Amino acid sequence: YERSLLRDAHTTGVLALEQQLYSMDTYKRHRSNLNSWKHYCHVTGALPFPPTQADINGFVVYALVTRTPRLDPSSVQLSRGALSGWYIQLNAVLPYAQASVPLHLINVASSPETRALTKTIQDKYKLPGQPKQLMSVETLVDVLCRGFSAP
């Protein structure tokens, strides 16, 4: 019953609140990161919301080891941030859920354990940067003749 109440609160208020709090680009990025989280939950059979500490730890291992192609640690960090934002927004909406007892969720996505884990993966598993392609002479001449506006 409690989980269905939380899902109802999520669907009725959190998305509308998120659209008001963030720019459209931030909203799209959060949605993309939450979709990678939901995909992990679908693969493992875990319930997507509310996540537990074990679920978040499993997502990190999945994203860096099991998933093909593996995610960069910065993407894992952004997913953790999106989950943390979900907690913050849900806790803002829960007082309006009309539950018989006051509801409040502890934000495990921002716990010291999760923060230490994401810092460790940033340090140890960062993918090497992609070298930039040099601009060809033809492209340079074209840009200088045309200007910097798109064709």
Side-chain angles (χ1 to χ4, degrees):
Y1 170 76
E2 200 172 83
R3 285 193 183 257
S4 67
L5 183 64
L6 293 174
R7 276 191 220 106
D8 290 346
H10 174 261
T11 55
T12 57
V14 173
L15 289 176
L17 182 63
E18 185 176 84
Q19 288 175 340
Q20 292 173 4
L21 291 176
Y22 300 115
S23 70
M24 188 51 74
D25 289 339
T26 302
Y27 173 74
K28 287 177 184 175
R29 189 172 56 247
H30 276 226
R31 187 175 59 196
S32 172
N33 292 323
L34 287 173
N35 282 339
S36 66
W37 165 255
K38 287 180 185 177
H39 182 263
Y40 161 77
C41 291
H42 176 74
V43 168
T44 61
L47 291 174
F49 301 109
T52 64
Q53 187 68 58
D55 292 335
I56 292 174
N57 295 349
F59 172 69
V60 170
V61 171
Y62 168 79
L64 296 175
V65 179
T66 309
R67 187 180 187 275
T68 304
R70 80 179 183 96
L71 290 179
D72 187 70
S74 59
S75 297
V76 176
Q77 176 76 11
L78 289 171
S79 295
R80 186 203 62 81
L83 287 173
S84 180
W86 178 86
Y87 270 106
I88 291 166
Q89 293 166 14
L90 182 61
N91 279 322
V93 173
L94 280 178
Y96 304 103
Q98 299 186 10
S100 57
V101 294
L103 297 173
H104 180 78
L105 294 175
I106 296 170
N107 188 349
V108 295
S110 286
S111 71
E113 180 182 339
T114 304
R115 288 181 183 272
L117 179 62
T118 52
K119 182 176 180 347
T120 301
I121 64 168
Q122 284 284 16
D123 295 342
K124 297 190 184 258
Y125 293 97
K126 185 73 177 153
L127 294 173
Q130 299 292 326
K132 302 290 184 212
Q133 294 262 341
L134 294 176
M135 187 181 297
S136 69
V137 174
E138 294 83 17
T139 304
L140 178 61
V141 169
D142 185 45
V143 167
L144 292 175
C145 291
R146 183 184 77 236
F148 288 95
S149 60

